[in-house]
């Protein structure tokens, strides 16, 4: 079997034979050289060629299109950006609304492109359900979050409170206290999207070279072991693999997201769960659970992953018994009927996290470098916005995309916030995660006394504040 099929359920489901495209064997002069054939690189190439078809755009990929996070994620196509509320809090109300409207339109933009290009990626815009479940403290936090969203100017059309009975009309979870529903989210089969985008940009004239790991990059050139691309612009679109190309690893760290998929579930089981319209769902604990119902009736379920000392990449995503056990426990707490269900697939991926958990889209005009990243877990949609933004930055267009608080229109990479040195990162990460695990254990136990519940929440909230 092709080893790339073992990357995830999504890659395993492809009709695509997954045969590698030719590697880079000769020197090339291009207008734009892109490192990485994931969502960011492909979307950047797509919008560049759509607006300036005469450009010679070359993509150099270490493995195959979709090998990284683009072929491994949970399939949420969100109209959001990590930390958007912090980024936009200081904007005037009219500018903040325009920025939110821009973000919320991301799923519709992707839907228009895939329809135009004939990419069948199982896109269903059913919205997202953020559920308060398992313990009552989740409802308090979720209602506080809704109040915060209202203060930012977001109304009922953007986020609507659902009572337990209203939630049950869409999703049945144990101990439901209510939910927030937002229409600004779709679910997809992510590998079909990334592989379809790769074919589309090739049809537009983009040159895509696979199995060509970049060993060095500088302003104006990208070099592999066999050859070199010289270019007017260089776009390092490597997100979770930033540590492989200095100095990007100072600004973007790899963290891991870990996911399981059940075998296809029978109709009577789904009748007790719901999700008939392809909605995404999450429960509002700091364990960061997320899921969807795939088009072939599997439950896809993920939870917060890990970080390795020194920002080392993880290459072996055979989940340990402990990693599988946590996801089985959390899934079983939400859906007791699935406590003994068989997992047909488990996988994970490296995703990029910027300091202060703040994504960035940057143009260094002096060195003619453009990059976008730090999406955290929201990269499926954010990468589309990033690709559109980088295309406008490279082409020197004046657009609404460039007037956003996450865009650095003329800045060196050194303008980005650097991560602290080790062991500070590793110690900080583990302290934060352990506080979240402790909080969840205490709050999920109905026998925990009130003082202990308050203490666990206060500690977790304090540790969470350090992330921003």
């Amino acid at each position: 079997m092709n080893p790339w099929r073992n990357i995830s359920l999504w890659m395993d489901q492809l009709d695509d034979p997954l045969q590698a495209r030719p590697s880079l064997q000769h020197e090339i002069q291009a207008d734009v050289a892109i490192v990485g054939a994931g969502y960011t690189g492909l979307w950047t190439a797509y919008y560049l060629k759509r607006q300036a078809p005469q450009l010679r755009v070359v993509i150099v990929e270490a493995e195959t299109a979709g090998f990284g996070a683009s072929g491994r994620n949970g399939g949420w196509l969100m109209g959001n950006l990590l930390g958007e509320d912090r980024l936009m809090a200081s904007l005037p109300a009219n500018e903040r609304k325009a920025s939110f409207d821009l973000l919320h339109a991301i799923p519709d933009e992707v839907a228009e492109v895939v329809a135009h290009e004939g990419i069948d990626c199982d896109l269903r815009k059913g919205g997202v359900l953020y559920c308060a479940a398992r313990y009552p403290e989740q409802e308090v936090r979720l209602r506080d979050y809704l109040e915060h969203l209202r203060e930012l100017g977001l109304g009922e059309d953007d986020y609507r409170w659902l009572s337990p009975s209203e939630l049950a009309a869409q999703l049945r979870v144990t101990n439901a206290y209510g939910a927030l529903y937002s229409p600004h989210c779709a679910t997809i089969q992510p590998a079909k999207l990334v592989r379809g985008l790769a074919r589309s940009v090739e049809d537009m004239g983009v040159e895509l070279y696979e199995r060509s790991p970049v060993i060095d990059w500088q302003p104006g050139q990208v070099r592999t072991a066999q050859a070199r691309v010289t270019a007017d612009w260089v776009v390092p679109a490597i997100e979770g693999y930033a540590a492989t190309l200095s100095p990007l690893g100072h600004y973007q760290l790899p963290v891991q997201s870990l996911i399981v998929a059940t075998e296809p579930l029978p109709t009577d089981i789904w009748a007790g769960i719901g999700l008939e319209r392809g909605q995404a769902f999450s429960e509002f604990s700091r364990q960061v659970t997320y899921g969807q119902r795939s088009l072939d009736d599997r439950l896809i379920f993920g939870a917060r992953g890990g970080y390795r000392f020194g920002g080392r990449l993880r290459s072996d995503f055979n989940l340990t018994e402990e990693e599988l056990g946590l996801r089985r426990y959390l899934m079983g707490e939400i859906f007791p009927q699935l406590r003994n269900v068989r997992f047909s697939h488990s996988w994970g991926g490296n995703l990029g996290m910027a300091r202060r958990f703040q994504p960035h889209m940057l143009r260094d005009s002096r060195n003619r470098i453009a990059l976008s990243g730090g999406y955290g877990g929201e990269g499926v949609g954010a990468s589309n916005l990033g690709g559109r933004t980088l295309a406008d930055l490279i082409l020197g267009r004046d657009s609404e995309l460039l007037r956003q608080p996450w865009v650095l229109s003329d800045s060196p990479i050194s303008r980005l916030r650097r991560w602290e040195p080790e062991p500070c990162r590793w110690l900080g990460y583990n302290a934060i995660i352990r506080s979240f695990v402790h909080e969840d254990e205490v709050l999920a136990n109905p026998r925990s006394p009130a003082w202990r519940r308050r203490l666990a929440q206060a500690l977790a909230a304090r540790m969470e504040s350090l992330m921003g």
Side-chain angles (χ1 to χ4, degrees), residues 133-145:
R134 297 202 291 139
Y135 41 81
E137 286 84 356
Q138 285 195 26
E139 180 183 1
V140 175
R141 286 187 61 229
L142 193 56
R143 286 189 180 276
D144 287 346
Y145 179 58

Side-chain angles (χ1 to χ4, degrees), residues 28 128 179 199 204 218 229 232 329 360:
I28 292 176
V128 57
R199 290 190 295 270
M204 299 168 81
Q218 304 292 335
V229 181
D232 294 337
Y329 162 74
H360 49 262

Side-chain angles (χ1 to χ4, degrees), residues 353-430:
M353 195 69 75
R355 186 64 181 96
R356 292 189 175 176
F357 297 80
Q358 183 171 312
H360 49 262
M361 299 166 195
L362 176 149
R363 173 182 59 195
D364 179 346
S365 300
R366 178 180 178 184
N367 293 304
R368 298 179 78 79
I369 295 167
L371 73 155
S372 176
Y375 308 129
E378 300 177 10
V380 178
S383 58
N384 171 269
L385 181 67
R388 281 185 278 155
T389 303
L390 293 191
D392 282 0
L393 286 169
I394 290 169
L395 295 173
R397 299 180 72 238
D398 180 23
S399 73
E400 181 188 14
L401 293 169
L402 309 190
R403 295 187 287 272
Q404 302 303 321
W406 48 83
V407 176
L408 300 171
S409 294
D410 195 8
S411 301
I413 294 175
S414 59
R415 170 85 181 277
L416 299 175
R417 178 74 63 172
R418 293 171 68 106
W419 281 95
E420 291 79 3
E422 293 290 19
C424 299
R425 296 193 307 245
W426 188 84
L427 291 171
Y429 175 87
N430 280 282

